[in-house]
């Protein structure tokens, strides 16, 4: 679905992922590096970023789930690698497991198309609603002025 993508054990039942297992799996994947930080803005220990795109971050949540917000294709590819090293799966925000990177792409594309259609429908409905909210009182005032 692409908004949030998680790494978890067997449909979240056997999670949490331990911090030691998380760090060991991340150490085996060189495309993920701990982002640099200074002082109070330093990244927590379980947070890593793609070396190619440091804005793409993967972190271990307080619930023991690996999570990424709005991940790119490269980040999801890295998530599948980390999940395979952990013996875990990659899941959507609706707790449905992704079978492969292609499955993530297909479902994300479908989700984005559905969201675009929903937004267009809301815009169209709000235009009609605005027309009724403004139009009915205006017609009533015109009718009152004309003595209908």
């Amino acid at each position: 679905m692409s908004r949030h993508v998680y790494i978890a054990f067997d449909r979240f039942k056997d999670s949490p992922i331990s911090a030691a297992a998380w760090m060991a799996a991340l150490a085996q994947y060189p495309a993920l590096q701990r982002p640099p930080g200074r002082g109070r803005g330093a990244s927590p220990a379980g947070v890593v970023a793609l070396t190619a795109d440091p804005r793409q971050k993967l972190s271990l949540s307080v619930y023991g789930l690996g999570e990424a917000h709005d991940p790119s294709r490269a980040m999801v590819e890295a998530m599948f690698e980390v999940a395979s090293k952990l013996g875990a799966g990659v899941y959507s925000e609706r707790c449905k497991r992704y079978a492969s990177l292609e499955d993530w792409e297909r479902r994300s594309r479908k989700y984005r198309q559905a969201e675009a259609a929903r937004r267009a429908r809301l815009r169209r409905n709000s235009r009609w609603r605005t027309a009724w909210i403004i139009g009915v009182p205006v017609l009533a005032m015109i009718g009152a002025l004309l003595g209908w």
Side-chain angles (χ1 to χ4, degrees), residues 1 5-6 11 76-77 79-81 83-84 88-92 95-108:
M1 306 293 183
V5 179
Y6 298 99
R11 296 190 55 83
V76 175
E77 186 176 350
M79 290 177 78
F80 272 103
E81 288 290 324
S84 70
V90 179
Y91 294 88
S92 72
C95 302
K96 296 192 190 272
R97 188 175 186 150
Y98 291 116
S100 64
L101 184 60
E102 290 75 26
D103 182 37
W104 170 81
E105 286 178 322
R106 181 184 54 77
R107 287 167 55 185
S108 295

Side-chain angles (χ1 to χ4, degrees), residues 7-85:
I7 296 174
F9 292 123
D10 192 31
R11 296 190 55 83
F12 300 88
K13 293 176 186 169
D14 297 330
S15 288
I17 299 169
S18 71
W22 178 254
M23 295 309 286
L26 293 177
Q28 297 175 21
Y29 196 72
L32 294 171
Q33 299 293 323
R34 189 152 180 234
R38 292 180 221 107
R40 295 174 74 94
S43 298
V47 177
V48 292
L50 281 174
T51 52
D53 185 6
R55 294 173 297 160
Q56 290 285 312
K57 291 187 174 52
L58 176 63
S59 63
L60 183 65
S61 73
V62 295
Y63 302 108
L65 303 172
E67 62 182 345
H69 179 70
D70 285 332
S72 64
R73 185 183 198 287
M75 177 56 81
V76 175
E77 186 176 350
M79 290 177 78
F80 272 103
E81 288 290 324
V82 171
S84 70
K85 296 197 185 331

